[in-house]
Amino acid sequence: MLITRDPLEVVVEMVTAVSLAPERLEDRVNAIVDILSPDLGSHLGLLIRADLTDLDIQVLGRHMSAGARSHLRHQIRHQLKDPLLEPVVRGDLTPTTAARAFGEQAWRESTTRAAVMVSFGIDQIATLPVHGGSNVVVFMLGRVGQDFTEDDLALLRAVQPVVTGLGTLLRLPRHAQQLLVADNTAMEHALTEREVQVLELLAQGYKATVIARKAGCSTRTVHRHLGHIYDKLGVGDRLSAVNRAHVLGVLDLDPVDMS
């Protein structure tokens, strides 16, 4: 099938947009999504990263609240064996769609389709895998109505090598590369979901005793989480941790004055 737009044109726009985007990881992800979405008629674009060893899942995308991210992370944790993501886990990086992966009838009747329809108002999903195995990295694009076409998938296949190569830019700034996975290294330095929860509460200005109450753990456990967070972010205090997390796109909330 013919591709309706020259992939080289798409690639040039994408590389330029990512290189000029702010340093926040989410801004760079959105730069890629913003280039692809008009050609695909997509209304939603996300990057999902999953460390299957610790079941630590990160979701990056525009206009998503912390609550929406948490809900989607929970959903994905139970969908890694679904027909859409399971091939990526096995190392198959072929772009595809939910309707093709499940089968049209099975997709129409699936709980996954019902969930994304309620949460995001879409009923069709296309995947652009970047990395498989125990460290899954995959873009997901969504729209409502007809399934993505063969032309759409041809475009995704054409730009896939460049999107994969842009992993080096998605991992900027350089001092944070250990936190951001788009290669073969394990996600051993990434923040766990529990650590992100503590960091989000910290960013709202809560003290350790209040964080402990809201997180349902002891103050001692909170301090242990904070120590791990500082080590992973390469910082030595709370304000630096929150600021660094914002730069990396880990937090959406605006930092408060902690002085």
Side-chain angles (χ1 to χ4, degrees), residues 111-133:
T111 57
T112 301
R113 177 183 175 275
V116 296
M117 191 66 183
V118 171
S119 299
F120 302 107
I122 62 170
D123 62 356
Q124 303 294 346
I125 298 173
T127 60
L128 177 57
V130 175
H131 195 274

Side-chain angles (χ1 to χ4, degrees), residues 85-232:
L85 289 179
E86 194 270 339
V88 182
V89 175
R90 288 191 283 103
D92 183 354
L93 303 184
T94 306
T96 189
T97 71
R100 287 169 172 81
F102 279 76
E104 284 193 34
Q105 182 67 27
W107 173 242
R108 281 196 297 268
E109 298 172 354
S110 72
T111 57
T112 301
R113 177 183 175 275
V116 296
M117 191 66 183
V118 171
S119 299
F120 302 107
I122 62 170
D123 62 356
Q124 303 294 346
I125 298 173
T127 60
L128 177 57
V130 175
H131 195 274
S134 62
N135 294 314
V136 170
V137 182
V138 57
F139 281 88
M140 285 193 169
L141 299 123
R143 71 186 187 192
V144 64
Q146 293 184 337
D147 188 19
F148 290 85
T149 67
E150 288 298 329
D151 283 348
D152 295 331
L153 290 178
L155 178 59
L156 290 177
R157 289 192 296 269
V159 304
Q160 186 180 30
V162 175
V163 173
T164 301
L166 285 173
T168 56
L169 287 177
L170 292 177
R171 288 181 287 148
L172 291 178
R174 291 189 178 182
H175 62 256
Q177 287 189 6
Q178 63 180 7
L179 300 173
L180 310 173
V181 176
D183 53 26
N184 292 325
T185 59
M187 211 172 180
E188 59 186 355
H189 297 294
L191 297 179
T192 66
E193 189 169 340
R194 189 65 159 173
E195 288 165 354
V196 171
Q197 180 189 20
V198 169
L199 191 56
E200 287 174 342
L201 292 169
L202 186 70
Q204 296 175 59
Y206 294 118
K207 302 298 183 183
T209 52
V210 180
I211 293 175
R213 185 172 69 250
K214 288 181 173 291
C217 61
S218 69
T219 303
R220 182 176 179 179
T221 299
V222 169
H223 285 298
R224 186 173 71 250
H225 285 315
L226 290 175
H228 293 162
I229 290 168
Y230 296 164
D231 288 342
K232 292 178 179 182

Side-chain angles (χ1 to χ4, degrees), residues 24-43:
R24 287 185 72 245
L25 175 61
E26 190 155 10
D27 290 321
R28 296 182 183 277
V29 169
N30 288 334
I32 291 177
V33 170
D34 289 346
I35 296 299
L36 290 175
S37 291
D39 292 293
L40 300 174
S42 173
H43 308 301

